[in-house]
Amino acid sequence: MTARILVVDDVPANLKLLSARLTAEYFEVMTATNGTEALEICARAQCDVVLLDVVMPGLDGFEVCRRLKADPKTHHIPVVMVTALDQPADRVRGLEAGADDFLTKPVADVALLARIRSLARLKMLGDELRLRAQTTREIGMTDALVEAMADDGLHGRVLLVDDRDVSQSRIAAALATGQSVSSEPSPYEALFRAAEGEFDLMIVALELRDFDALRLCAQVRSLERTRMLPILLVADHDQTARVIRGLEVGVNDYLLRPLDANELVARVRTQIRRKRYNERLRSNLLESMALAITDGLTGLHNRRYMEMHLQSLLDQATARDRPLSALVVDIDFFKRVNDTHGHDAGDEVLREFAARLKASVRGIDLACRLGGEEFVVVMPETDAKVAQLVAERIRRRMAGDPFRIARGARTIDVTASIGVASFDVAVDDAASLLKRADVALYRAKSEGRNRVAADAA
Ligand code: GH3
Ligand code: MG
């Protein structure tokens, strides 16, 4: 998949030059001749990277960048500032405006094209996350993102891997005020500590003495525990070929020596900010996925999850020719609890009931609240006889011990009726299995409640 690059420059000749250069690298190119136009394009079009000229009439590059980064709709688009001169002060201003990188005109640097490619890759990864997050439609999602965008990128935990004392202490000193830096000269220890510790960024000196620094970077990228840890490479100015290799193995950014302290500080902040943003996006997504399959009142799985999961449990039982049983559990006369003690007391009973149910079954059993006061337990590796024993244990656990209501001020007796059915490969699907358990439950109810009935089949 090819990335779409928006090039913004007020000088047509520059636009033409950059476009040609990028098209030759198989990027798809769009153009804008001023800041306002650029903002409009970003707001409606899908673009993966913006190349932004700094000096333009009207809105200048810094301002355009600031506005892009302040808008939740465009915040995630990487911005590369294009400066005429390699001015460290401009770079720092740009990074403070939220720019992700810099190009220096005239653009001929292969490393910088590799950088654009890596920015585009990162952006597409983030897009994928955001898309999934939107699908779950979690309320509060945008609030969480706005909050994440406001992160200042300070007080991060930085692991500095450099085995040269002078260079190491220079970097540590530059970062000392904004970040908390741990130095680790040994690359072996560094990998271990990265996997153990909670770091927000790893800075790696490319010229380690007895170890290939890029191997360390590749290892960090491939380990599950460190795969999301951003890496900033510090390299000598004549090592661009190795820097390109670094970007290919997943290094996020680099700096060339001699280091500009301000630029180092700004790039570190950008990386930490971006890591935190993605982290929040991810945890928000996981949270909303968890919410979608969990019953809010009891914390058990909900009907939706049961329906998704039961089929795979049945497939497994069929493939391995193993038994499986299901219980449908229903509280007796639950309406009376509500009517007599109020809805809140009813909720308390439901919560306690769910906790006892969960505690009565094994970890591999699937306990769900189907809705109301009806629960289902699916038990793999369990035949009809054992299932009845479990059901009886659940029944006793409910009936044997009164339930506390009104925050423990009072207790009431609660009983349940339970229907049991066991999976029969020859005749059952998910629906018929539950249906048979339901029929058994109905019998338990009609025979007097507070009892277990097994399906006759
Ligand atoms: P049976 O022994 O035949 O099962 O009688 P029952 O009263 O338990 O069954 P019925 O279906 O008549 O009533 C179920 C009640 O459960 C009615 C409904 O108001 C209540 N209920 C359903 N969901 C909730 C809930 O989330 N919280 C509370 N407090 N009550 C609920
Ligand atoms: Mg009931």
Side-chain angles (χ1 to χ4, degrees), residues 295 297 330-339 342-350 369 371-374 415 417 441 445 449:
D295 172 51
L297 181 67
D330 189 285
I331 304 179
D332 297 327
F333 301 122
F334 185 65
K335 195 168 171 314
R336 277 192 212 158
V337 176
N338 277 334
D339 292 349
H343 196 84
D344 287 349
D347 283 358
E348 283 179 288
V349 169
L350 285 171
R369 181 183 179 209
E373 20 77 81
E374 192 179 8
T415 63
S417 301
L441 167 67
K445 291 275 185 192
R449 294 182 171 78

Side-chain angles (χ1 to χ4, degrees), residues 89-220:
D90 270 3
R91 289 172 162 246
V92 172
R93 252 189 95 191
L95 286 167
E96 274 163 6
D100 297 87
D101 216 321
F102 295 90
L103 277 173
T104 307
K105 292 188 215 173
V107 185
D109 195 339
V110 198
L112 289 169
L113 282 168
R115 231 165 176 175
I116 292 179
R117 211 166 278 128
S118 105
L119 281 175
R121 212 179 313 135
L122 214 83
K123 151 81 164 46
M124 291 181 195
L125 209 91
D127 283 353
E128 174 66 22
L129 268 177
R130 219 179 343 274
L131 198 71
R132 280 195 247 163
Q134 271 163 14
T135 324
T136 63
R137 286 173 199 284
E138 228 279 275
I139 319 153
M141 182 73 201
T142 41
D143 287 352
L145 290 190
V146 168
E147 199 182 299
M149 275 163 48
D151 191 287
D152 57 10
L154 290 175
H155 310 296
R157 292 140 307 173
V158 178
L159 181 61
L160 171 58
V161 189
D162 193 340
D163 55 10
R164 282 158 214 256
D165 289 345
V166 178
S167 153
Q168 187 260 103
S169 49
R170 196 169 290 157
I171 294 172
L175 296 174
T177 49
Q179 315 289 354
S180 127
V181 181
S182 304
S183 290
E184 179 51 70
S186 153
Y188 302 98
E189 280 300 313
L191 185 64
F192 187 69
R193 289 181 64 185
E196 282 288 299
E198 298 279 298
F199 289 104
D200 297 308
L201 172 70
M202 182 157 101
I203 300 179
V204 180
L206 185 57
E207 53 286 326
L208 294 175
R209 280 200 194 93
D210 308 314
F211 195 85
D212 182 352
L214 293 186
R215 183 167 306 283
L216 174 62
C217 297
Q219 284 166 340
V220 167

Side-chain angles (χ1 to χ4, degrees), residues 235-292:
D236 279 341
H237 67 276
D238 58 357
Q239 293 206 295
T240 41
R242 300 252 299 145
V243 167
I244 293 171
R245 279 295 293 141
L247 290 164
E248 280 164 9
V249 303
V251 163
N252 301 76
D253 200 358
Y254 67 91
L255 275 164
L256 297 181
R257 299 183 203 271
L259 295 180
D260 176 77
N262 288 326
E263 187 174 351
L264 172 66
V265 165
R267 284 196 187 274
V268 163
R269 278 179 68 173
T270 301
Q271 287 304 323
I272 291 176
R273 211 160 41 204
R274 193 187 289 154
K275 177 202 178 230
R276 288 175 178 162
Y277 177 82
N278 280 332
E279 229 165 39
R280 296 221 202 170
L281 200 61
R282 204 167 299 113
S283 75
N284 204 290
L285 179 63
L286 290 176
E287 211 172 273
S288 56
M289 287 189 342
L291 280 179

